[in-house]
Amino acid sequence: MKMKNSLGQFKRKTNNTIRRILRSCVYFILICLILYNILYMFNNVFKSKKYAKIFNIYISTEKENEMAPTIKKNSLIIGVKIKEEDIKEKQIIGYDIDNSIKYHRLIKINNNDNEIIYITKADSNYNIDIEYKQRENIKSRILINIPNLGFLFKIFESKITTSIIIIYLILKFNINKYKFILSNKRKKQRETNNK
């Protein structure tokens, strides 16, 4: 009988621990998404950019399937600022076009009249890109490419989604605060009744 009770208590404690860990993970993900949204909005409003940038890190989502299978549509791409000496042919580079970061493969580096021109091509296209890039257009190289996660980040680029989540987190915080205060009152009341 004692063995069954201790086994039941162990299962309850394990389930509660798992629930707490899952809840913490969900909150962590929500906070990361909200921070991404704040960075995205800041860049969009003040710099007219359609990506998030913090220090030397560029966060963007792949909107097309041009670089498949290397980069699939709706992938989350985290890029890092690229130095001039690190730019090499055959690597995938991120460049700024229409205030968005686009990732294509660098095919050739031409030196025309002391001006360096970068020629790129999407992996799924037969022809090279029409527009040539200059050094100021090239922003990053890929650090992390996470397939399908970009879809979630696209949802969080909406101001409505962020507002709903912030309201939910504020309500949840206040409810938890109220529950904590209520449990402390009950605990104090029990202690006074036991005396």
Side-chain angles (χ1 to χ4, degrees):
M1 188 74 171
K2 228 177 190 182
M3 183 79 159
K4 284 185 181 178
N5 284 343
S6 61
L7 189 62
Q9 286 177 342
F10 176 74
K11 283 182 179 178
R12 277 192 296 278
K13 284 182 180 179
T14 305
N15 287 340
N16 286 340
T17 304
I18 291 170
R19 268 191 236 120
R20 255 186 266 126
I21 290 170
L22 287 174
R23 195 177 311 129
S24 297
C25 288
V26 168
Y27 285 138
F28 176 75
I29 290 169
L30 283 175
I31 288 169
C32 286
L33 290 169
I34 288 170
L35 288 174
Y36 166 78
N37 184 272
I38 290 167
L39 288 170
Y40 177 84
M41 280 194 219
F42 177 81
N43 276 338
N44 197 355
V45 171
F46 295 108
K47 299 179 182 179
S48 301
K49 303 292 183 190
K50 297 175 188 165
Y51 54 85
K53 181 184 180 236
I54 181 166
F55 304 114
N56 290 332
I57 304 292
Y58 295 84
I59 305 168
S60 62
T61 55
E62 182 63 31
K63 293 170 177 56
E64 298 168 14
N65 222 3
E66 293 180 329
M67 287 299 291
T70 311
I71 304 171
K72 295 178 181 165
K73 185 176 181 178
N74 292 326
S75 292
L76 175 70
I77 303 168
I78 300 174
V80 64
K81 187 175 182 177
I82 192 166
K83 297 175 186 166
E84 189 151 5
E85 60 270 12
D86 294 336
I87 300 173
K88 293 175 179 46
E89 291 180 3
K90 306 286 185 222
Q91 79 179 140
I92 298 173
I93 57 166
Y95 59 92
D96 191 322
I97 183 165
D98 299 328
N99 294 321
S100 294
I101 293 282
K102 202 167 200 170
Y103 287 91
H104 281 186
R105 194 169 301 280
L106 180 61
I107 300 300
K108 194 166 187 179
I109 302 172
N110 280 344
N111 195 343
N112 295 344
D113 300 325
N114 295 331
E115 183 182 26
I116 298 175
I117 295 174
Y118 300 90
I119 301 168
T120 56
K121 176 184 163 311
D123 284 356
S124 63
N125 292 347
Y126 180 74
N127 296 320
I128 62 172
D129 295 338
I130 296 169
E131 70 280 342
Y132 297 145
K133 283 74 180 180
Q134 295 176 331
R135 177 60 187 113
E136 61 266 11
N137 301 114
I138 298 173
K139 302 293 181 187
S140 64
R141 62 177 171 81
I142 294 178
L143 189 64
I144 301 171
N145 172 20
I146 307 170
N148 301 320
L149 192 60
F151 178 75
L152 187 62
F153 278 75
K154 277 185 192 176
I155 292 170
F156 277 82
E157 288 173 3
S158 161
K159 294 173 187 171
I160 294 169
T161 308
T162 302
S163 302
I164 290 169
I165 289 173
I166 289 172
I167 289 169
Y168 169 76
L169 290 174
I170 290 170
L171 288 173
K172 186 71 175 163
F173 175 77
N174 285 327
I175 289 169
N176 286 343
K177 185 178 169 185
Y178 177 73
K179 283 181 182 178
F180 179 74
I181 291 169
L182 200 61
S183 74
N184 278 347
K185 279 184 181 178
R186 286 181 186 154
K187 189 176 176 183
K188 285 179 184 177
Q189 194 174 22
R190 267 187 259 127
E191 287 173 358
T192 54
N193 287 343
N194 289 338
K195 290 180 181 178

